[in-house]
Amino acid sequence: MKILVINAGSSSLKYQLINMEDESVIAKGNCDRIGIDGHIKHTTFDGRVIDTDCTFPTHTEAFEKLVEVLTTGEGKVIDSMSEISAVGHRIVQGAEIFSKTTLVTDEVIQQIDDLSELAPVHNHPHALALRACKKVIPETTPQVVVFDTAFHQTMPEKAFMFGMPYECYEKYHVRKYGFHGTSHRFVTQALAEALGKPLSELKIVSCHLGNGSSITAVDGGKSVDTSMGFTPLDGVIMGTRSGCVDPSAVTFIENKKHLSPSEMSDYLNKKSGFLGISGISSDNRDITAAAQHGDKKAQLAGEMLRYEIKKYIGSYAAVMNGLDAVLFTGGIGENSDDLRADVCRDMEFFGIKLDEAANAGLRGKLQRISAPDSKVEVWVVPTNEELLIARDTRDLVGNL
Ligand code: ADP
């Protein structure tokens, strides 16, 4: 069985074609600059690469090009699209409507589009891509949607509500939704397998740390709280996003700098975080390098992230009444051994003791990094959201 996984943005269409027999990637790439001009980069399992400019006025032309490169010419990996059993799409916001992976119908696409107000940057492009995909793939090929928010729909009301008037929730659907759900679900399952224990018996704090970062308390396989909120802006400090701030600071700066609400939103989403504190870069590698050269603001940005992660681990252990494992994933979590060491330092109180040697230099590999006598296991678990989307898609269409 072959599954095509799609992650569509407003100007891009990332894809992976996965062979479900051995879960290997047959081909992957990105149709980029949709609505601007157009570019495709396509790589096959055996190393063939297509890297060329195109014309992509809309997502439909990008899908047409994707079909062309998969089935013809230099990048060909299948004879026809009918070899693809199903298409799985990543969708950012499913709100309270979608608590699980769902088969696509016209009504589902419309519901995803209707949720655009809650995720303006993501959901409308997702709907455009779903409609374009429908035009291009065979009518008999099922499409499936996997939501970033779905995993967090198990959070209790006391965790997802904000202390604002109740009408904000009732009338405007303002609440914590949480994001990165597909990643947190994938890595916690992978960790349970590695530990050889049922996920239903584990209390895990899952730290997904990348350009965007979120930390989730997973109790018995269910998300009970998470650091991102109504949007992916909340929680720990990120590449360009502020993370949690006192809301009064937002209105104060809005007034001081005479910013409109959307300008203020840009300020918090694109100019804050590592970039805003350091004035150097949003990228953890640049921040680490500058910090090592003595840059005080870069050092501060790194210290803030480490401090905030510690606070989440502590509060989520309290919420779950225990902690079996902490895991690190995402570009920073999987690769930054110094950050992992700093976070785990002085955590003996929680039963966390790092194996410094196991941690040092470890990048992108599933491995325990806690000492044998650590009460809490600490692991690096590489994430693979595309694979989970493909597995979900297979499971859903397999039951049709
Ligand atoms: P996204 O949230 O966009 O998916 P990623 O998960 O790819 O982002 O994470 C990107 C972050 O990971 C960047 O801040 C980058 O500096 C960091 N990163 C990637 N490789 C390393 C590395 N070897 N050491 C430290 N940080 C790294």
Side-chain angles (χ1 to χ4, degrees), residues 77-253:
V77 283
I78 49 173
D79 289 325
S80 94
M81 289 302 278
S82 59
E83 278 182 46
I84 295 175
S85 301
V87 182
H89 295 258
R90 173 198 176 217
I91 308 292
V92 166
Q93 179 58 278
E96 292 180 340
I97 300 172
F98 299 104
S99 57
K100 58 180 189 329
T101 296
T102 303
L103 197 65
V104 173
T105 60
D106 287 342
E107 192 196 350
V108 166
I109 300 179
Q110 192 53 50
Q111 284 172 310
I112 290 168
D113 212 356
D114 290 345
L115 289 171
S116 293
E117 202 186 14
L118 297 181
V121 182
H122 295 105
N123 268 45
H124 182 58
H126 291 329
L128 290 176
L130 283 161
R131 292 192 178 108
C133 186
K134 237 185 111 188
K135 278 193 223 160
V136 168
I137 60 167
E139 217 176 309
T140 46
T141 310
Q143 292 193 71
V144 165
V145 275
V146 182
F147 297 89
D148 277 9
T149 48
F151 183 58
H152 301 298
Q153 279 296 302
T154 48
M155 283 188 292
E157 214 174 357
K158 64 186 175 193
F160 72 66
M161 286 297 289
F162 298 134
M164 298 161 79
Y166 201 80
E167 66 161 10
C168 298
Y169 173 58
E170 273 185 316
K171 271 198 198 161
Y172 306 112
H173 313 289
V174 171
R175 52 158 283 180
K176 176 187 285 204
Y177 289 106
F179 298 86
H180 286 149
T182 315
S183 175
H184 290 298
R185 186 153 62 95
F186 180 87
V187 289
T188 49
Q189 278 171 5
L191 178 60
E193 269 171 45
L195 291 171
K197 290 187 181 155
L199 188 53
S200 57
E201 289 173 13
L202 292 170
K203 296 174 191 295
I204 301 172
V205 174
S206 173
C207 306
H208 178 118
L209 311 169
N211 281 321
S213 300
S214 73
I215 303 182
T216 299
V218 182
D219 192 351
K222 293 197 166 83
S223 167
V224 293
D225 204 346
T226 192
S227 61
M228 280 180 172
F230 177 56
T231 70
L233 180 58
D234 205 357
V236 296
I237 184 170
M238 299 173 230
T240 60
R241 291 176 232 161
S242 61
C244 174
V245 293
D246 180 346
S248 304
V250 176
T251 44
F252 181 83
I253 292 296

Side-chain angles (χ1 to χ4, degrees), residues 290-291 294-301:
D295 187 282
K296 294 273 181 273
K297 287 179 182 164
Q299 286 169 2
L300 173 64

Side-chain angles (χ1 to χ4, degrees), residues 180 183 187 207-214 274 282-285 288 305 327-340 362-365 380-385:
H180 286 149
S183 175
V187 289
C207 306
H208 178 118
L209 311 169
N211 281 321
S213 300
S214 73
F274 272 11
S282 62
D283 193 289
N284 179 58
R285 284 164 290 200
T288 307
L305 176 61
L327 73 82
F328 291 94
T329 194
I332 299 176
E334 289 171 34
N335 294 301
S336 184
D337 52 358
D338 61 304
L339 174 132
R340 296 189 302 249
L362 181 67
R363 300 202 194 295
K365 207 170 122 208
V380 173
V381 184
T383 194
N384 191 340
E385 291 163 87

